[in-house]
Amino acid sequence: MRGRVPPLLLLGILVLASVSATLAKLDERFPPGERTRGQQPWDREEGGRWGPSEPREREREDWRQPRRERDWRRPSEEPWKIRPEGRQGEQEWGRAGSRRVREETSRFNPFHFPSRRFNTRYGNQNGRIQVLPRFDQRSKRFENLQNYRIVQIEAKPNTLVLPKHADADNILVVQQGQATVSVANGNNKQSFNLEEGHALRIPSGFISYILNPHDNQNLKIAKISMPVNTPGQFEDFFPASSRDQPSYLQGFSRNTLEAAFNAEFEEIRRVLLEENEQGEQEEQRQPGQRRRSSRSSENNEGVIVKVSKEHIQQLSKHAKWVPKKASEEGDISTPINLRNNEPVISNNFGRLFEVKPDKKNPQLQDLDMFLTCVEIKQGALMLPHYNSKAIVVVVVNKGTGNLELVSVTKEQQRQQEWQEEEDEEDEEEGNREVRRYTARLNEGDVFIMPAGHPVAVNATSELHLLGFGINGENNQRTFLAGDKDNVISQLEKQVMDLAFPGSGEQVEKLIKNQKESHFVSANPHQPRQSAEKEDEEEQRQGEENKKGPLLSILKAFN
């Protein structure tokens, strides 16, 4: 008995030996310099991949490390590639070692609003009034545009849009046809004969009505509305009832109406509120019932009604025509002719007219908005350019074309946990990527040009664009190519040498190849690079990643 070891002591020795062996293996697997506090050996699988038991442990530990040691690169080194979507002859940017350029087509383009996105607020066989949904509902990047709405008005020949006022400031532009627009406020009323390219401001609360006096041509009007009550929302108030909306006079009580008009309620009801065939009050009729009045017919059951030739003559005879030359100082009610002066930019491929918010145009000055009209000939390209501070809402008035818009955004992480963690990061954290947003433009479409975002437009047919420039005062339009107004050509040769893969002399020579400015032919003139030049370019790709974002922005237009 004396020579036997107690069982408890033997068990303790075995446990100590097992623990020592485990610690020795752990030291071999995780050297002291690589060990992380709180990390367990079962947190890793073979190959060093983090297992599912504690997927956040390493991320939490990474926050304790200096920011410069964090690496948020994508798990895969495969770069983003451009998806031309049916376009032939385009090369894919994004080779290994270069900055990534990603393309978003029309389907995923938040800057482009096809005409089908308009919602019809009022409509019948005589025409329709459509409103585009709020911009900020499409994307958070358009929060500064939440109080701007685009409205389209279409009226057939010999029709009238009934009088109304709205709780919004409005600027309307005639896109097609002729219009007699009347604006009334208190004891003052003015009527103007407007044609294509004429604009008119209708202040909030002013009653207005629009007549299409033409016998054969439809009337098209684009309007930008700026609500004054609720951001992004405006209402129309009609004094006369229609199928689309009752008269706001029906909202008052009988006693109020009698006192207001100093007349018996029966007369007020008969003249203003109207009766149906059974003598019931208009406000009491069942929804969907047709009313009977002097203009009651299938053609006049909405806010756009048919007008006789006699009425057209009476409504048009006192209307003023817009002068060909603008006065030195106008007033808020004076119409604007977008083609009044010489074009700001013009050549054989296109031209641009612009009305700025200054003392000559008080209609635009207090709204801090400019109007622009761009005409691009078929097969021409408006060179890449951007606006310094203005956000331009563009309506496609006529024709077809292709839009390319370049944006610089934060890279989206593929791992879900990275995306969640990224939300907690500072906005300056993370890599940036250049994205090219493309869209096929058709008549009635709308697209947005944010400030600082380079844009290029080429016309596949005669293309006319109408632009509403928000934050227009002191805005500068800057071009990235062309013989004139090219900001790249203003860089010193030494800066070019440091910023671009080629030397400063090569960059200057390349810039001087383009003899036209602003509008050029969209057909490429440069032959395809030889295989030797492509090899040389590929060897320089590693250096481009150090050259800054300017090269990536220019590359996105290729």
Side-chain angles (χ1 to χ4, degrees):
M1 297 294 295
R2 182 183 305 174
R4 296 181 61 183
V5 180
L8 292 177
L9 179 60
L10 181 61
L11 181 61
I13 293 173
L14 292 175
V15 170
L16 289 175
S18 176
V19 171
S20 299
T22 301
L23 292 176
K25 292 180 180 180
L26 184 61
D27 287 338
E28 294 177 1
R29 190 172 182 181
F30 303 104
E34 298 180 4
R35 219 177 279 171
T36 304
R37 185 177 60 185
Q39 184 173 294
Q40 301 298 331
W42 53 81
D43 285 339
R44 282 179 177 263
E45 298 175 357
E46 288 189 14
R49 184 168 61 87
W50 292 92
S53 58
E54 290 290 334
R56 293 285 185 181
E57 188 65 37
R58 186 175 184 180
E59 293 179 17
R60 288 196 294 268
E61 184 61 30
D62 281 345
W63 284 103
R64 304 187 187 100
Q65 305 297 328
R67 286 183 178 269
R68 56 185 175 85
E69 295 183 5
R70 296 176 60 202
D71 188 0
W72 288 96
R73 290 177 296 180
R74 299 177 186 273
S76 172
E77 293 300 324
E78 180 69 21
W80 288 101
K81 293 184 178 181
I82 293 177
R83 301 186 298 275
E85 192 192 18
R87 299 183 187 175
Q88 299 180 356
E90 288 197 3
Q91 298 181 4
E92 292 183 347
W93 291 98
R95 297 173 180 171
S98 66
R99 288 189 179 272
R100 303 180 178 102
V101 180
R102 182 178 180 182
E103 179 177 55
E104 300 289 356
T105 55
S106 299
R107 183 179 177 185
F108 305 103
N109 188 345
F111 302 95
H112 178 236
F113 298 79
S115 58
R116 65 177 180 272
R117 289 187 174 272
F118 278 88
N119 298 320
T120 300
R121 179 173 286 195
Y122 314 107
N124 59 13
Q125 58 271 38
N126 298 320
R128 60 182 179 178
I129 299 177
Q130 296 182 299
V131 183
L132 191 67
R134 289 171 50 174
F135 296 116
D136 61 321
Q137 291 179 347
R138 179 78 177 274
S139 173
K140 291 183 179 180
R141 70 181 75 205
F142 302 136
E143 288 182 357
N144 288 345
L145 295 178
Q146 67 173 332
N147 205 39
Y148 296 89
R149 304 294 300 274
I150 296 296
V151 181
Q152 291 273 15
I153 302 174
E154 299 177 10
K156 290 187 175 181
N158 298 334
T159 56
L160 175 73
V161 180
L162 293 179
K164 67 179 180 67
H165 75 268
D167 58 343
D169 281 314
N170 300 275
I171 294 179
L172 60 83
V173 181
V174 178
Q175 298 175 280
Q176 175 185 300
Q178 300 176 355
T180 300
V181 182
S182 299
V183 182
N185 181 38
N187 296 323
N188 183 33
K189 181 184 77 70
Q190 291 181 301
S191 297
F192 302 97
N193 291 320
L194 306 181
E195 297 178 334
E196 183 177 339
H198 292 172
L200 181 67
R201 178 177 175 181
I202 303 177
S204 177
F206 280 49
I207 285 185
S208 64
Y209 44 100
I210 302 172
L211 171 70
N212 180 6
H214 205 279
D215 293 332
N216 303 309
Q217 190 174 23
N218 291 339
L219 172 65
K220 287 183 59 178
I221 290 177
K223 183 171 68 172
I224 186 168
S225 297
M226 294 144 280
V228 296
N229 284 327
T230 305
Q233 299 181 15
F234 69 93
E235 296 295 339
D236 298 314
F237 297 83
F238 290 87
S241 295
S242 70
R243 179 192 63 185
D244 295 322
Q245 185 166 314
S247 166
Y248 53 73
L249 295 176
Q250 295 180 11
F252 292 103
S253 66
R254 174 172 180 164
N255 291 338
T256 298
L257 291 175
E258 288 181 340
F261 292 99
N262 193 24
E264 295 291 334
F265 181 72
E266 293 301 324
E267 181 181 2
I268 298 173
R269 183 175 63 178
R270 184 178 67 254
V271 175
L272 295 180
L273 305 182
E274 300 183 355
E275 296 178 335
N276 61 19
E277 195 170 22
Q278 288 75 25
E280 296 175 330
Q281 194 172 335
E282 178 73 4
E283 59 190 1
Q284 295 175 349
R285 75 179 190 275
Q286 297 298 321
Q289 279 189 305
R290 291 176 52 191
R291 60 184 183 178
R292 301 180 61 86
S293 69
S294 59
R295 60 180 179 86
S296 177
S297 69
E298 292 183 358
N299 292 331
N300 287 340
E301 283 197 340
V303 302
I304 305 177
V305 299
K306 270 290 190 181
V307 184
S308 67
K309 297 296 294 184
E310 293 77 15
H311 281 128
I312 291 176
Q313 293 176 359
Q314 292 295 323
L315 291 172
S316 303
K317 68 178 183 179
H318 297 299
K320 302 176 183 177
W321 290 94
V322 179
K324 293 184 179 181
K325 291 187 178 181
S327 58
E328 291 297 325
E329 290 191 9
D331 58 67
I332 194 173
S333 62
T334 303
I336 299 172
N337 187 350
L338 291 180
R339 296 179 177 87
N340 201 15
N341 299 316
E342 293 295 323
V344 177
I345 298 172
S346 178
N347 62 15
N348 293 329
F349 299 100
R351 55 182 184 171
L352 182 148
F353 298 87
E354 187 173 68
V355 180
K356 297 183 178 180
D358 51 28
K359 293 182 178 180
K360 294 182 179 179
N361 303 291
Q363 313 93 316
L364 304 175
Q365 188 175 24
D366 64 327
L367 298 177
D368 194 14
M369 179 180 298
F370 67 77
L371 298 178
T372 183
C373 177
V374 181
E375 300 173 356
I376 309 175
K377 292 189 176 181
Q378 182 177 359
L381 170 75
M382 187 173 186
L383 288 173
H385 65 283
Y386 63 88
N387 291 284
S388 61
K389 57 176 293 189
I391 306 172
V392 185
V393 180
V394 183
V395 179
V396 180
N397 186 25
K398 173 185 176 183
T400 59
N402 293 312
L403 167 72
E404 294 185 9
L405 184 148
V406 178
S407 178
V408 179
T409 59
K410 291 182 64 174
E411 270 188 5
Q412 295 179 349
Q413 307 298 340
R414 291 182 180 177
Q415 298 283 346
Q416 182 179 0
E417 61 267 20
W418 288 13
Q419 292 176 348
E420 294 173 359
E421 202 74 42
E422 189 180 30
D423 294 338
E424 301 176 6
E425 289 186 51
D426 187 274
E427 291 185 0
E428 300 303 321
E429 283 292 319
N431 296 329
R432 292 296 197 267
E433 67 176 1
V434 173
R435 292 193 182 186
R436 179 173 72 219
Y437 294 89
T438 64
R440 292 181 174 87
L441 302 178
N442 296 284
E443 184 176 328
D445 288 0
V446 176
F447 65 90
I448 297 174
M449 296 171 52
H453 287 53
V455 174
V457 179
N458 77 317
T460 54
S461 68
E462 187 81 10
L463 185 62
H464 292 187
L465 306 175
L466 169 66
F468 299 94
I470 300 163
N471 303 328
E473 187 177 5
N474 299 324
N475 177 68
Q476 296 292 325
R477 186 179 294 104
T478 303
F479 283 84
L480 301 174
D483 184 48
K484 299 177 181 178
D485 301 331
N486 182 354
V487 68
I488 305 297
S489 65
Q490 302 301 316
L491 303 179
E492 291 89 346
K493 188 182 299 183
Q494 294 78 9
V495 175
M496 293 179 180
D497 190 56
L498 295 171
F500 297 100
S503 65
E505 291 81 2
Q506 291 174 326
V507 175
E508 286 184 339
K509 182 179 179 181
L510 179 64
I511 291 175
K512 292 179 181 179
N513 284 343
Q514 181 56 264
K515 304 303 181 183
E516 297 287 348
S517 303
H518 312 124
F519 299 98
V520 301
S521 172
N523 299 320
H525 295 288
Q526 297 295 333
R528 194 174 187 273
Q529 290 180 329
S530 63
E532 292 78 13
K533 289 185 177 181
E534 289 183 354
D535 292 339
E536 293 176 4
E537 180 182 355
E538 188 172 3
Q539 293 176 2
R540 292 195 296 266
Q541 293 296 321
E543 301 177 4
E544 292 183 5
N545 198 37
K546 305 176 183 179
K547 294 282 187 171
L550 181 59
L551 179 63
S552 298
I553 293 175
L554 296 175
K555 181 187 296 183
F557 287 105
N558 190 59

